Amino acid sequence: EEYVKEKVESYIKNTPFYASDIRYSCKNWEEYPILEKATVNKHMDMFNIDYIKHMHTRSSGSSGQITNTYWDEMEYLRSLGHLWRIRKQYGISPKDKYCTAHVNYETKERILNSKVVINRNCLSICKLYIDDESLARYVSEIEQFQPRWMIVPPSFLLAVLNYVVRSKSRLPETIVLIELNGEFCTQGMMLKVREILPNVNVVNMYGMQECNGIAYGNSNILKVIEKNVFVETIDKSNRSVFGIEGDIIITTLSNSVMPFIRYKTSDKGILDKEGNLILTSCRCNDSLEINGVSYDGAIFWNIVENMNFSFCNGAIKWFTVIYENNELTFKLIIDQTDRSIDTHEIRSWL
C-alpha cells in the first residue's frame, strides 16, 4: 500500500489533470472521484503526452467508446513484464509463436479485413467467422503454424474446439498454454476447454488495453497483478468493499505519462483482502440470441471499431440492439457535430 501511495502522490503532483483538480488534494482515498472513459477522452491535453515520442495503444471500443492510452515505451514493456513473469511459469517466452484472434487486424496505417494474418511470430484469425468452412481453414492454419501458445476469447476458442471434435481433426501438440481473455470467462468454459485439451494449461487473463494485465489465474479465482495495478471493488457510494460484488476500479502503477487513478472498468467482481478476484460480469460479455441461436457481440464490435477508426472516435456512447418482428435494429450514438461522419458508410458495415 505504501508503494501505491507513493505512485499516486507522484501522479497527482506531476500530471496537470490531477494537479488542477482540488478533489485530489484531500487525504481520504475514497474521496477521490471515479474516473470515467468519457472524462479521459475529453481531457487528453491535460496528461503528459508527447504524441511523437510516446507509444500509443487503444481499446477496441466494444463498450461503445474507445480509450486512447499513451506510454513511455520502457514503462509499457515493464508493465508487460509483470504479465510475462507469470506466463514464463508455463514455459513460454515472448519469442515463441502464438495464435490470437481479431475482429479487424489493425496496422499503423489501416485496418485489415483478412480472415487470417501472419505477422512474424503471430498467427491472428478472425473471430467473426465461425462457419465450418472458416473453422476448417483456421484449424489448418494453426496446424501449419505450430504455435506454442494461444491467447483467444473463450467463446471463439470453443467454436474452434467444437469443430475439431466434430471433424475429428486436432490442434498441434506444440501448444502448451491457452490464455483466455477478451470476454467474460466462466468456470464451465475453462472446464470444457480442459476436457477437449487435457494436456494443455488453460488460464484466464483479465486485462485492459489501458493497463495490460489486471489479474491472472487457472480457475475462476484470479490473482491481482499487484505490481501493475491497484484494484478495488466499490459500492454505489464509491466506498471500497470486500467479499461482496462491486464495481471493479483500477489505479495504474506502470504509466507515468497517462496514469489512471480510480478508473472505472465497467466490470463487476468480488475481491478479498488477499488480492483474489472473482469476475461476476464484464463489459464484453454481451451476446444476442435470435431464434435460439446465440451470436457473439463481436459482430457488433466490428461496426464500432470501424466507426472509431474511420472517424477518429466518432462513436461517443454505447449502442443497443433490438430484435423483433424478424428485424434487427442497431443503435449507435455518434458525434453529430462531426460533418465527416458518413452514415451511408456506417450502414455498409452491417
Side-chain angles (χ1 to χ4, degrees), residues 130-331:
I130 54 173
D131 57 280
D132 278 3
E133 181 181 349
S134 297
L135 292 171
R137 181 185 175 188
Y138 296 159
V139 171
S140 175
E141 293 281 357
I142 294 170
E143 178 64 34
Q144 292 178 53
F145 193 70
Q146 297 278 297
R148 188 154 174 79
W149 67 294
M150 299 179 72
I151 176 168
V152 288
S155 62
F156 178 69
L157 177 65
L158 286 171
V160 173
L161 293 181
N162 286 333
Y163 174 80
V164 166
V165 172
R166 290 198 313 274
S167 63
K168 297 182 180 179
S169 53
R170 65 178 186 175
L171 295 183
E173 294 181 359
T174 55
I175 300 172
V176 298
L177 175 69
I178 292 180
E179 188 175 286
L180 304 173
N181 82 337
E183 64 185 24
F184 189 56
C185 179
T186 66
Q187 182 72 353
M189 287 175 165
M190 297 185 75
L191 291 174
K192 183 65 176 178
V193 175
R194 290 191 180 115
E195 178 185 323
I196 300 172
L197 299 173
N199 298 319
V200 178
N201 292 298
V202 182
V203 298
N204 186 7
M205 193 279 280
Y206 170 49
M208 302 176 70
Q209 287 290 347
E210 292 93 319
C211 65
N212 295 317
I214 297 174
Y216 204 95
N218 58 10
S219 71
N220 64 320
I221 303 175
L222 309 180
K223 189 69 177 178
V224 171
I225 307 174
E226 295 177 337
K227 288 292 185 180
N228 192 50
V229 288
F230 175 67
V231 175
E232 303 170 77
T233 46
I234 62 170
D235 61 18
K236 293 180 180 179
S237 300
N238 295 343
R239 306 296 180 185
S240 296
V241 293
F242 294 100
I244 60 173
E245 185 184 63
D247 292 319
I248 298 175
I249 305 298
I250 63 165
T251 296
T252 58
L253 303 176
S254 299
N255 188 349
S256 62
V257 171
M258 199 171 174
F260 297 143
I261 300 174
R262 304 199 85 195
Y263 181 71
K264 186 175 181 179
T265 66
S266 299
D267 303 328
K268 292 181 181 293
I270 301 170
L271 179 71
D272 68 19
K273 293 184 178 181
E274 284 68 51
N276 299 305
L277 178 66
I278 299 174
L279 298 174
T280 54
S281 69
C282 292
R283 61 197 178 280
C284 296
N285 66 334
D286 292 336
S287 62
L288 178 69
E289 187 169 302
I290 300 177
N291 296 332
V293 179
S294 182
Y295 294 88
D296 193 314
I299 63 175
F300 307 112
W301 307 347
N302 182 38
I303 301 169
V304 179
E305 282 200 16
N306 273 296
M307 179 74 191
N308 287 325
F309 190 87
S310 300
F311 301 114
C312 299
N313 198 20
I316 62 173
K317 207 171 182 181
W318 47 264
F319 56 87
T320 60
V321 177
I322 302 171
Y323 180 76
E324 57 185 2
N325 300 324
N326 292 319
E327 290 187 357
L328 185 68
T329 302
F330 180 92
K331 292 189 176 182

Side-chain angles (χ1 to χ4, degrees), residues 3 7 11 55 71-85 211-213 225 227-229 253-256:
Y3 175 74
K7 280 284 187 180
Y11 294 158
M55 66 172 292
W71 299 74
D72 172 85
E73 186 173 359
M74 289 306 298
E75 288 186 331
Y76 181 77
L77 293 175
R78 198 173 298 124
S79 174
L80 284 179
H82 298 307
L83 194 54
W84 272 106
R85 272 186 281 277
C211 65
N212 295 317
I225 307 174
K227 288 292 185 180
N228 192 50
V229 288
L253 303 176
S254 299
N255 188 349
S256 62

Side-chain angles (χ1 to χ4, degrees), residues 328-343:
L328 185 68
T329 302
F330 180 92
K331 292 189 176 182
L332 177 67
I333 299 174
I334 63 175
D335 183 356
Q336 292 181 321
T337 65
D338 187 345
R339 300 301 181 186
S340 70
I341 295 177
D342 183 348
T343 55

